[in-house]
Amino acid sequence: MGNEFRAPDLKLQPRGDGVPVLTIADEPDVRALEADLARTRALLHEADHRAKNTLQVVTSLVLLQARRIGSTAAQRVLYAIAERISALSTVHRLLAEGEAGSFDVSAFLRETTHEMRGGSDRIEVALDLADTTIAAAKAPSLALLVHEVLADAFARDFPEERGGRIGVSASTEAGAVRIMVADDGSAPAEEHGDGFGPMLVDLLGKQLRAEVRREETAPGTRVTITLPPESAARR
């Protein structure tokens, strides 16, 4: 068959000092494999780029519909949905820009915290982000999980006299990826949530086989997400 893979021929050839070295006699096959790999990576990046564009259109449609609805409660739900879809759009953009097969967790955390903080000067954001990546297949679920945790932190009540502080860190320890989000605020006096956010965090944590630990730190809350080593990107 014309497309059948043929293993390259390996030969032992002597060097000038008489020591034999292993060489690949059939180099064109190796170059063909490298070309196929490059094409596959290009196709993956193109697919992520198109997914990002599609999700941006969906986000715009949801926001347009939200502005036309008179119900405040319905608007709140649609805005939350739009934010989640936007988070997924960011995932696919980073996948399209990054190394095939891996997702830059630190870059996602940096961009998401910047967007959520907006132009507010009442909330200080402290980032401690080591070079942290996971397998691309885990990216959408982790992004939604982290988005929910960050959204909850930014929605906390902070005293007028001092503002608030949110710390976000990411690291890899013994192959396990650890993400921590800590705030020094208190639960909002008026809760608008319908319980969907916490339920989503629980479902996504189980899907990722991650440990999600929430601690009350008085004042504030600390959430630690630990992903098992199999979530790490293969290099």
Side-chain angles (χ1 to χ4, degrees), residues 139-153:
S141 297
L142 179 64
L144 285 176
L145 172 56
V146 169
H147 178 273
E148 293 302 316
V149 173
L150 285 171
D152 182 68

Side-chain angles (χ1 to χ4, degrees), residues 84 145 148 152 193-205 214:
R84 292 173 182 125
L145 172 56
E148 293 302 316
D152 182 68
D194 56 2
F196 181 77
M199 181 190 71
L200 188 58
V201 167
D202 183 59
L203 289 174
L204 293 169
R214 182 184 180 92

Side-chain angles (χ1 to χ4, degrees), residues 111-193:
E111 289 197 23
T112 303
T113 52
H114 177 74
E115 290 175 4
M116 288 188 177
R117 183 173 182 267
S120 173
D121 58 359
R122 293 199 61 255
I123 299 178
E124 174 192 355
V125 177
L127 301 178
D128 182 14
L129 306 175
D131 181 16
T132 308
T133 59
I134 62 169
K138 306 284 186 181
S141 297
L142 179 64
L144 285 176
L145 172 56
V146 169
H147 178 273
E148 293 302 316
V149 173
L150 285 171
D152 182 68
F154 277 93
R156 307 279 284 180
D157 278 345
F158 299 102
E160 286 289 340
E161 63 273 12
R162 66 168 174 82
R165 185 179 189 277
I166 295 175
V168 181
S169 66
S171 61
T172 303
E173 302 172 16
V177 172
R178 179 165 292 124
I179 301 167
M180 187 175 69
V181 178
D183 66 75
D184 61 357
S186 57
E190 184 179 356
E191 290 283 359
H192 296 294

Side-chain angles (χ1 to χ4, degrees), residues 1-196:
M1 297 176 60
N3 294 328
E4 184 177 352
F5 171 71
R6 182 163 57 89
D9 296 329
L10 303 179
K11 292 184 178 181
L12 284 173
Q13 295 182 343
R15 293 189 316 202
D17 55 6
V19 178
V21 294
L22 188 66
T23 63
I24 299 176
D26 197 356
E27 292 184 355
D29 276 349
V30 176
R31 289 196 295 269
L33 287 173
E34 291 175 344
D36 286 343
L37 181 59
R39 282 193 293 269
T40 300
R41 287 174 173 169
L43 287 172
L44 287 173
H45 285 160
E46 177 63 20
D48 283 315
H49 180 73
R50 293 185 180 186
K52 177 210 69 171
N53 290 343
T54 300
L55 289 170
Q56 286 180 335
V57 171
V58 175
T59 300
S60 298
L61 289 174
V62 174
L63 290 174
L64 182 63
Q65 184 65 56
R67 297 186 186 106
R68 294 174 61 87
I69 291 180
S71 168
T72 302
Q75 281 185 335
R76 192 179 299 119
V77 171
L78 288 175
Y79 283 136
I81 291 173
E83 289 174 359
R84 292 173 182 125
I85 298 173
S86 180
L88 292 175
S89 177
T90 300
V91 167
H92 284 284
R93 178 173 57 77
L94 291 174
L95 287 173
E97 296 172 350
E99 182 180 348
S102 67
F103 176 66
D104 190 337
V105 176
S106 299
F108 178 79
L109 289 170
R110 189 176 295 109
E111 289 197 23
T112 303
T113 52
H114 177 74
E115 290 175 4
M116 288 188 177
R117 183 173 182 267
S120 173
D121 58 359
R122 293 199 61 255
I123 299 178
E124 174 192 355
V125 177
L127 301 178
D128 182 14
L129 306 175
D131 181 16
T132 308
T133 59
I134 62 169
K138 306 284 186 181
S141 297
L142 179 64
L144 285 176
L145 172 56
V146 169
H147 178 273
E148 293 302 316
V149 173
L150 285 171
D152 182 68
F154 277 93
R156 307 279 284 180
D157 278 345
F158 299 102
E160 286 289 340
E161 63 273 12
R162 66 168 174 82
R165 185 179 189 277
I166 295 175
V168 181
S169 66
S171 61
T172 303
E173 302 172 16
V177 172
R178 179 165 292 124
I179 301 167
M180 187 175 69
V181 178
D183 66 75
D184 61 357
S186 57
E190 184 179 356
E191 290 283 359
H192 296 294
D194 56 2
F196 181 77

